[in-house]
C-alpha cells in the first residue's frame, strides 16, 4: 500500500516539481542556518561558521540531486529531454530524416495494410451476437475442388436432420426493379432469405416484424422487410410504413418490417423477401444457387458439427451416388467462404504475403539502421565525451533509442496516413466497380492495426537505434576521445562488415527493382491510356429480363418461351431508344468494348504458336492464337464511330445460325495474319477462355473474315496480352443478358439515366438495367484500379531506390572517410593524386560490381521462378538501367570523401595520427 | 546489482529505522535535530554528511510513515518538523522486530562458529 502511495506521489512530484524544489531549498537553507548558529555558538566567526556548516552538510547540489531522485521519477525527466533531443536530431539531419521517415513510412503502411487485410480475411469477426458461432454449410466437389452451390435438396436434408446446428437457413441474392410511386424505377439488390436468417442474426426489427416461416409458403401473400437506408431514402422514414405495398418487378409486396441501421445480414443487404423453396421442382444438383447458414447449437463446436454433417453427407452420397459421389459437405465459420478463405491455399498465400511484407519492413529498418549508424559514427566523439562525464552505457543507448523512436513514430504516423488514404481509394474503386464488401469487412485502420503498428514502431526503433548504439558504445571509447581533440572525424572501424553490407545492398536493389519499375510503368501506362472512343457519351448496362418469383423449371419449352419474350422486349427497347430524340445511337453486344472474353483460334495458313496461352481455359485447348471475342449488333461499330477499313460491315443475314461471316480488328489482321489476304481468310475456334460464355462459341467450325474494323477501345489494361479482336453479328434475344450501349446527344448521359430506366420499365416491369453507368466510368474503374496499383508500386519503388541509394551513399562515404587520413598522408608523402583516386574508386567499384553481379543473378533466378511474369522479357532493358543507377550513386558517394581526403593538409593528417 | 548498491540498500534500511525510532522516542524533529541525533548515536560524528538524510525523509514522507510541517524553532527560525504517523509507528514495530530477529540470528551464527 505504502509503495503504491509513494509511486503516485513520485509521479505527482514529477509534474509539480516547482513547489517541491522551493520547499527543499527552504528546508536546506534552514538546516544550514541552524548548523551555522551552532558553530557560532561554539565561538566561530560568521565566515568560518558558514564554511563549517557547508562542510558538515556535504554537497548541497548533490543532496538536492539525491533528494530529487528519491522524490520523483528522474527517468521521465531524461525521457522528455531525449524526446526533445530526438526531435532536434530530425531537424538537424534533414536528409536522413526524409529518407528514413519516408522509407519506414511506406514499409509501415504496407505492413499495416497487409496486416489489416489479413486480419479482415483470416480472422473476420461477425459483428452480431455470438457471431463466432454462425457457420456456413456447403458442398465441396472433390472432383473439381470447387463448391457446389446448387444445394436445395441438401439444404432441406440438413435442416431436417442436423442437431449440432440450429436455425438452418439459406439465401440467394437477386436484382429486382424497385418501382415506387413518383420515382424512377431502380435496380436493387433483393435477398431471398429463410426466416431463420433473422433468428441467426438476433437483431430485433426497428418497426413491424421479421420474416416468419409462414411467409415462405407458396400460398402466403408476398411480403418484404426493408433496411434502414431504404426506409429513410425511399420512403422518407415514414413511421407508418408497415402494411404499405412495395413494387418489386411486377409483384406488389407488403412491407412488414424495417430493420435497424447497420443491419446488413447476410452479406450487405437491405431488402429481404422470403426464400420459397420447393425442392420437388428440381433434380438434385439442380435449381438455384444457395448459401446455407446456421448457428451452432449450444455446447457444439465446428468440429462436432462437421462430424455430424459428414455422417449425413455420407448417407446422401450412398443414396444418390450419381449426383453426390464426389460431394463432401463442409462447415466453416460464416465469413470464410466469402473471402475464399475456405481454401487452404488462399490462407497459405495470405500468410506468405504477410510474412514477406513484414520481411520487407525489417529490410527497410536495417537500411535505415545503416544510415543512423553512419550518423552515430560521426557522433562518436560526443558519446565518448558523455561517457567520460559519467553517463552510463544504458543511459546513452536509451537516448539513441528514443531518438530512433522519434524517427520511427514520425514514420508510423505518416505510414498510417498513407494507409488510410490508400484504403479509401481501394474502397472507392471497389464501390465504383460494383463489388460491395460484406458488412463485416471494413477498409479502415482498426485498433488491432494500431497496436500492430505501435509494436512495429518500437521494434523498428530498436533495430534503427539500439543496434547502432550498442555497436558504437561497445568499443573502447577512450579512443573516441582522441580525434575529438584533434578536430573530430568518423573513427568507427567496420572494414569487412561495411563491405558485406554494400554488396548485399546493391544486390538487393538490383534484384528487386527492375520488376517493380517495369510493373509500375506498365500499370501507369494502362491507367493513363486514352480510350480512343467517345466513351463519355455512352450509357451502358446489362439488360436482364427478371424471371420473377416463378420457379425456374428446367423445361425446354419454357426456356424457348423465355428467349422469345426477351427477344421481343429487347427489340422493342432498342426501337424505342433509337426513336428517342435524345439518343443518337443505341446498340448492343455480348460484351461492352473492353469487356470481351477470350478465345483461342487457328487461322488458315498461319502456323500455330508452340506455347500454350497463359490465360484461364474454359474448354478446348489454349494452344492457339489468343484473341478477344464479341457478338455485336449490326450498328455496333458505327455507334462507336469505328470505321470499317476493309471489306464490309455486318449485314442482316450475318446473325442467322448458319452464317459464317466474322469481322476482325486491325490488330488481328496485323498480328495474326501479317496484313496479308485478310478478307476471305478462314479461322476456327480451338479453345474458349474461362471468361467467355459456353454457348457463345462453337469450337471447330470454320468462319470467314468479311471485314476489318479499327481497334477500340485502345486500352492497355492487360499489358502483354494480345489486343486482337474478332466479332460475330448478333440479333436481339440471341443471348441473355445483353450489354446495351446508348449514345446520348447533348445534355450528357448522366441526365438521361433516369429516362432510360423509365423507358425500360415501360417496355416491361421485369426488364432490368444492371450496372447502369457511363462507359468511360466503367472503363476508368478498371483504369482507376490500375492507377492505384501503379501508385503503390511507384511509391514502393521510389522508397526502395531512395533507401538503397542513401544506404549505399552512407556506406561508401563512411568507408572512404575512414581512409581519409591515410589518403591525406599518402598525398603528403608525394603520392600521385590520380593514382590515389583510382585506388579508392577501384575498391568502391569492386564492391559495387560484386553486388550488381549477385543482384543480376538473383534477378535472373526470380525471373526464372516466376516464368518471366515479372518483367515480361524486358529484363535486358531494365536491369542494366538499375545497375548503372546503383553504380553511379555508389561512385558519387565515394567521390566527396575522396576529394576531401586529397585536400586535407598533410600536417593535419599527420597530427591526427 | 553490484555490491556497492547492496551497501546502499542496507544503509537506507537502517537509516529509515533510525529516523523512525528517533521520531518515535523524541517526538517531532527537524532535519538538523535528526542529523545531530544521528551523529550522537553513531560513533563517528563526521562519518555521515547531514545531507544524506534528505532522500530518506522524502521517501518516508511519501510512504506516509512520517509527516512534515513548518514550525518555528526555539531560536525562532523556520524549520520543517517531521512527526511519526500511525502507519509509521506500525512500520517501526515491524522493522524493529525484523532487525531484532536478524540480529539474533547473526549473533547465534557467530557464536556457533
Amino acid at each position: 500500500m505504502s509503495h503504491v502511495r509513494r509511486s503516485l506521489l513520485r509521479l505527482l512530484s514529477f509534474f509539480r516539481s516547482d513547489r517541491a524544489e522551493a520547499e527543499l531549498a527552504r528546508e536546506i537553507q534552514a538546516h544550514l542556518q541552524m548548523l551555522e548558529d551552532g558553530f557560532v555558538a561554539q565561538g566561530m566567526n560568521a565566515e568560518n561558521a558558514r564554511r563549517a556548516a557547508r562542510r558538515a552538510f556535504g554537497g548541497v547540489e548533490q543532496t538536492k540531486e539525491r533528494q530529487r531522485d528519491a522524490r520523483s521519477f528522474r527517468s521521465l525527466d531524461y525521457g522528455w529531454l531525449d524526446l526533445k533531443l530526438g526531435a532536434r536530431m530530425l531537424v538537424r539531419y534533414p536528409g536522413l530524416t526524409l529518407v528514413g521517415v519516408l522509407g519506414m513510412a511506406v514499409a509501415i503502411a504496407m505492413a499495416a495494410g497487409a496486416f489489416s487485410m489479413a486480419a479482415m480475411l483470416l480472422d473476420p469477426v461477425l459483428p452480431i451476437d455470438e457471431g463466432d458461432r454462425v457457420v456456413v454449410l456447403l458442398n465441396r466437389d472433390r472432383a473439381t475442388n470447387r463448391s457446389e452451390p446448387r444445394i436445395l435438396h441438401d439444404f432441406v436434408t440438413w435442416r431436417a436432420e442436423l442437431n449440432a446446428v440450429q436455425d438452418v437457413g439459406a439465401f440467394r441474392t437477386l436484382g429486382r426493379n424497385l418501382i415506387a410511386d413518383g420515382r424512377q424505377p431502380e435496380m436493387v439488390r433483393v435477398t431471398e432469405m429463410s426466416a431463420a436468417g433473422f433468428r441467426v442474426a438476433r437483431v430485433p426489427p426497428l418497426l413491424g416484424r421479421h420474416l416468419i416461416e409462414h411467409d415462405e409458403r407458396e400460398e402466403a401473400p408476398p411480403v418484404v422487410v426493408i433496411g434502414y437506408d431504404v426506409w429513410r431514402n425511399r420512403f422518407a422514414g415514414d413511421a407508418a410504413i408497415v402494411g404499405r405495398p412495395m413494387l418489386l418487378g411486377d409483384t406488389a409486396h407488403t412491407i412488414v418490417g424495417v430493420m435497424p441501421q447497420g443491419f446488413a445480414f447476410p452479406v450487405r443487404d437491405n431488402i429481404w423477401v422470403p426464400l420459397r423453396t420447393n425442392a420437388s421442382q428440381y433434380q438434385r444438383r439442380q435449381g438455384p444457387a444457395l448459401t446455407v447458414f446456421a448457428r451452432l447449437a449450444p455446447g457444439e463446436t465446428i468440429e462436432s458439427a462437421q462430424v455430424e454433417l459428414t455422417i449425413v453427407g455420407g448417407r446422401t452420397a450412398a443414396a444418390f451416388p450419381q449426383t453426390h459421389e464426389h460431394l463432401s459437405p463442409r462447415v466453416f465459420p460464416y465469413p470464410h467462404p466469402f473471402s475464399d478463405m475456405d481454401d487452404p491455399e488462399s490462407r497459405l498465400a495470405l500468410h506468405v504475403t504477410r510474412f514477406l511484407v513484414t520481411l520487407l519492413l525489417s529490410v527497410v529498418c536495417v537500411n535505415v539502421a545503416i544510415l543512423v549508424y553512419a550518423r552515430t559514427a560521426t557522433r562518436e566523439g560526443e558519446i565518448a565525451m558523455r561517457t567520460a562525464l559519467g553517463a552510463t552505457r544504458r543511459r546513452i543507448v536509451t537516448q539513441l533509442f528514443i531518438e530512433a523512436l522519434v524517427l520511427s513514430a514520425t514514420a508510423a504516423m505518416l505510414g498510417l496516413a498513407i494507409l488510410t488514404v490508400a484504403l479509401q481509394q481501394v474502397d472507392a474503386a471497389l464501390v465504383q466497380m460494383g463489388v460491395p464488401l460484406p458488412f463485416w469487412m471494413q477498409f479502415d485502420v482498426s485498433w488491432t492495426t494500431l497496436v500492430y503498428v505501435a509494436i512495429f514502431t518500437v521494434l523498428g526503433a530498436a533495430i534503427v537505434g539500439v543496434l547502432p548504439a550498442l555497436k558504437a558504445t561497445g568499443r573502447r571509447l577512450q579512443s573516441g576521445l582522441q580525434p575529438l581533440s584533434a578536430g573530430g572525424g568518423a573513427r568507427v572501424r567496420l572494414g569487412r562488415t561495411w563491405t558485406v553490407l554494400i554488396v548485399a545492398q546493391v544486390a538487393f536493389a538490383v534484384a528487386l527493382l527492375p520488376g517493380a519499375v517495369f510493373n509500375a510503368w506498365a500499370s501507369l501506362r494502362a491507367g493513363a491510356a486514352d480510350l480512343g472512343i467517345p466513351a463519355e457519351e455512352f450509357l451502358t448496362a446489362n439488360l436482364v429480363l427478371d424471371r420473377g418469383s416463378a420457379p425456374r423449371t428446367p423445361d425446354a419449352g419454357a426456356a424457348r418461351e423465355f428467349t422469345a419474350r426477351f427477344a421481343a422486349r429487347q427489340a422493342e427497347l432498342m426501337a424505342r431508344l433509337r426513336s428517342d430524340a435524345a439518343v443518337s445511337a443505341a446498340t448492343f453486344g455480348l460484351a461492352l468494348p473492353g469487356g470481351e472474353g477470350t478465345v483461342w483460334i487457328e487461322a488458315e495458313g498461319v502456323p500455330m504458336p508452340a506455347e500454350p496461352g497463359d490465360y484461364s481455359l474454359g474448354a478446348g485447348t489454349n494452344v492457339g492464337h489468343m484473341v478477344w471475342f464479341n457478338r455485336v449488333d449490326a450498328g455496333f461499330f458505327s455507334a462507336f464511330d469505328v470505321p470499317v477499313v476493309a471489306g464490309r460491315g455486318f449485314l442482316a443475314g450475318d446473325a442467322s445460325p448458319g452464317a459464317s461471316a466474322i469481322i476482325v480488328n486491325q490488330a488481328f489482321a496485323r498480328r495474326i495474319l501479317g496484313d496479308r489476304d485478310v478478307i476471305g481468310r478462314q479461322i476456327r475456334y480451338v479453345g474458349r477462355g474461362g471468361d467467355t460464355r459456353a454457348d457463345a462459341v462453337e469450337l471447330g467450325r470454320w468462319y470467314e473474315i468479311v471485314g476489318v474494323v479499327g481497334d477500340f477501345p485502345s486500352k492497355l489494361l492487360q499489358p502483354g496480352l494480345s489486343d486482337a479482336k474478332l466479332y460475330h453479328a448478333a440479333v436481339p434475344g440471341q443471348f441473355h443478358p445483353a450489354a446495351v450501349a446508348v449514345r446520348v446527344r447533348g445534355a450528357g448521359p448522366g441526365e438521361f439515366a433516369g429516362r432510360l430506366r423509365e423507358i425500360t420499365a415501360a417496355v416491361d416491369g421485369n426488364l432490368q438495367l444492371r450496372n447502369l453507368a457511363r462507359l468511360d466510368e466503367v472503363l476508368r474503374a478498371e483504369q482507376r484500379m490500375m492507377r492505384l496499383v501503379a501508385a503503390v508500386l511507384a511509391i514502393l519503388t521510389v522508397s526502395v531506390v531512395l533507401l538503397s541509394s542513401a544506404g549505399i551513399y552512407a556506406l561508401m562515404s563512411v568507408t572512404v572517410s575512414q581512409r581519409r587520413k591515410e589518403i591525406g598522408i599518402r598525398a603528403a608523402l608525394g603520392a600521385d593524386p590520380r593514382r590515389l583516386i583510382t585506388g579508392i574508386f577501384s575498391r568502391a567499384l569492386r564492391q559495387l560490381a560484386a553486388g550488381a553481379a549477385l543482384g543480376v543473378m538473383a534477378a535472373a533466378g526470380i525471373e526464372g521462378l516466376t516464368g518471366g511474369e515479372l518483367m515480361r522479357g524486358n529484363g535486358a532493358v531494365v536491369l542494366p538501367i538499375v545497375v548503372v543507377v546503383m553504380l553511379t550513386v555508389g561512385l558519387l558517394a565515394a567521390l566527396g570523401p575522396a576529394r576531401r581526403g586529397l585536400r586535407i593538409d598533410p600536417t593535419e593528417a599527420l597530427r591526427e595520427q | 546489482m553490484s555490491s556497492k548498491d547492496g551497501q546502499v540498500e542496507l544503509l537506507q534500511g537502517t537509516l529509515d529505522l533510525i529516523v523512525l525510532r528517533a521520531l518515535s522516542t523524541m517526538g517531532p524533529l527537524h532535519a538538523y535535530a535528526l542529523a545531530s541525533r544521528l551523529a550522537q548515536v553513531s560513533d563517528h560524528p563526521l562519518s555521515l554528511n547531514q545531507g544524506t538524510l534528505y532522500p530518506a525523509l522524502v521517501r518516508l514522507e511519501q510512504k506516509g510513515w512520517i509527516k512534515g510541517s513548518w514550525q518555528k524553532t526555539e531560536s525562532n527560525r523556520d524549520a520543517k518538523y517531521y512527526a511519526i504517523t500511525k502507519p509509521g509507528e506500525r512500520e517501526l514495530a515491524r522493522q524493529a522486530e525484523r532487525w531484532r530477529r536478524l540480529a539474533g540470528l547473526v549473533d547465534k551464527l557467530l557464536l556457533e562458529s
Side-chain angles (χ1 to χ4, degrees), chain A residues 76-243:
Chain A
L76 285 178
D77 271 333
Y78 291 141
W80 179 237
L81 196 72
D82 288 344
L83 274 182
K84 284 197 286 195
L85 208 64
R88 210 170 297 155
M89 278 295 173
L90 288 188
V91 181
R92 228 179 93 186
Y93 295 87
L96 175 63
T97 305
L98 187 74
V99 172
V101 166
L102 204 65
M104 282 178 83
V106 169
I108 285 173
M110 296 263 308
F115 177 83
S116 40
M117 206 68 89
M120 195 170 83
L121 295 176
L122 285 176
D123 314 300
V125 182
L126 211 55
I128 56 177
D129 183 33
E130 289 190 274
D132 56 332
R133 296 190 60 79
V134 180
V135 292
V136 154
L137 310 176
L138 53 82
N139 259 338
R140 189 175 277 285
D141 188 336
R142 289 189 303 276
T144 61
N145 200 27
R146 285 190 187 156
S147 293
E148 169 54 71
R150 293 163 297 174
I151 49 173
L152 184 55
H153 280 268
D154 305 88
F155 165 49
V156 172
T157 311
W158 293 340
R159 185 161 61 175
E161 296 186 14
L162 291 178
N163 294 315
V165 291
Q166 57 195 25
D167 292 333
V168 180
F171 72 87
R172 64 169 176 160
T173 315
L174 306 167
R176 283 280 149 78
N177 280 336
L178 170 60
I179 303 165
D181 299 337
R183 301 192 61 152
Q184 286 165 4
E186 187 189 1
M187 248 291 298
V188 291
R189 183 183 156 100
V190 174
T191 307
E192 285 187 354
M193 184 171 79
S194 311
F198 289 99
R199 289 201 300 276
V200 164
R202 292 182 179 168
V203 175
L206 185 68
L207 295 173
R209 63 165 174 90
H210 289 151
L211 298 175
I212 53 174
E213 258 72 19
H214 176 77
D215 299 327
E216 294 174 16
R217 294 193 195 164
E218 289 289 346
E219 69 279 11
V223 293
V224 60
V225 171
I226 57 173
Y228 187 85
D229 290 341
V230 175
W231 179 55
R232 298 295 300 195
N233 300 335
R234 278 263 150 198
F235 300 101
D238 181 2
I241 190 73
V242 172

Side-chain angles (χ1 to χ4, degrees), chain A residues 250-275:
Chain A
D250 53 5
T251 313
H253 290 64
T254 307
I255 299 173
V256 294
V258 178
M259 292 306 288
Q261 193 167 20
F263 181 81
F265 189 81
V267 184
R268 187 176 266 190
D269 303 280
N270 49 24
I271 297 176
W272 299 268
V273 297
L275 177 69

Side-chain angles (χ1 to χ4, degrees), chain B:
Chain B
M1 192 176 277
S2 71
S3 61
K4 195 177 149 203
D5 286 345
Q7 278 173 13
V8 170
E9 189 71 16
L10 186 67
L11 185 65
Q12 274 177 3
T14 326
L15 199 57
D16 287 3
L17 182 62
I18 294 168
V19 169
L20 288 175
R21 176 72 187 160
L23 294 179
S24 169
T25 52
M26 304 183 64
L29 294 173
H30 45 67
Y32 170 68
L34 264 172
S36 311
R37 169 79 184 147
L38 223 61
Q40 220 174 30
V41 292
S42 64
D43 288 336
H44 297 280
L46 294 176
S47 67
L48 196 73
N49 283 332
Q50 301 213 353
T52 316
L53 265 180
Y54 284 86
L57 287 174
V58 77
R59 199 165 50 236
L60 291 174
E61 193 175 14
Q62 283 182 335
K63 284 181 174 174
W65 294 340
I66 61 174
K67 192 164 166 40
S69 57
W70 287 88
Q71 291 170 25
K72 292 276 181 209
T73 64
E74 292 143 15
S75 51
N76 206 26
R77 291 203 183 276
D78 274 336
K80 194 173 179 184
Y81 277 79
Y82 293 93
I84 191 160
T85 61
K86 279 269 160 55
E89 294 280 6
R90 280 198 292 276
E91 180 64 18
L92 174 63
R94 209 175 59 78
Q95 281 200 19
E97 171 60 25
R98 216 185 82 211
W99 270 102
R100 269 196 286 276
R101 246 190 296 160
L102 189 63
L105 185 70
V106 173
D107 264 354
K108 217 157 139 192
L109 281 170
L110 290 175
L111 282 175
E112 270 177 18
S113 57

